[in-house]
Structure formats: C-alpha cells, structure tokens
Amino acid sequence: MCRQELENIVRDVHNKFHVELAICEVFKRRWSYITGTKNYVSGRYRIGIDEKYGIIVNCEKQDVDRIKMYIKKG
C-alpha cells in the first residue's frame, strides 16, 4: 500500500468512528508508526489490516469488531 492509501484509511476510520488511530508497519511483535490522526497518542487495541500493516486504535472495546469489519470491507 502507498502512503496515500494508508492516510485514506486513517481519515475514513476516524470520520466514521470518531476514534484516534495510527497505522503501523508490522514486524512480528514490533509495530512501527507510519501515519495517524493528529491527536493520536496511544491506543489500546491492535487490528491487523494484512500481514504487513496494522492499526493501533484508541476506542471502546465494543467498537473494535465494528472497526475490524469496516476495514476488511474497505
């Protein structure tokens, strides 16, 4: 994925769910920040996009599955 695609995912998820998030490149256990929302500090939940990228999101537990489904459809 190019950076613009990743930034589009951040914008779409932020606008739909009103959460702060960051997209990271995944290296097994280490997640390396690429881009995120302006006010992103940290998040509680990790959601894999694919084998190379993931999202760290600061949201309520009940929203995690909804966000996962939204990303998988996108």
Side-chain angles (χ1 to χ4, degrees):
M1 281 186 219
C2 72
R3 186 174 185 92
Q4 187 62 47
E5 287 176 281
L6 298 173
E7 289 173 354
N8 288 342
I9 292 170
V10 168
R11 187 188 68 247
D12 291 346
V13 172
H14 177 72
N15 288 340
K16 179 154 181 72
F17 297 99
H18 309 288
V19 296
E20 303 303 322
L21 67 142
I23 293 195
C24 300
E25 190 168 3
V26 177
F27 301 97
K28 295 189 181 182
R29 292 181 51 140
R30 186 173 70 84
W31 289 41
S32 180
Y33 177 89
I34 296 174
T35 188
T37 55
K38 182 178 178 182
N39 296 320
Y40 178 79
V41 176
S42 68
R44 288 189 254 174
Y45 302 102
R46 291 182 175 194
I47 301 170
I49 296 174
D50 58 23
E51 65 281 342
K52 188 172 180 177
Y53 298 102
I55 293 176
I56 300 175
V57 63
N58 189 14
C59 67
E60 298 299 321
K61 185 174 180 162
Q62 66 267 17
D63 292 331
V64 174
D65 287 333
R66 290 178 45 224
I67 293 169
K68 280 183 190 178
M69 293 301 291
Y70 182 76
I71 291 168
K72 300 295 180 190
K73 288 180 184 178

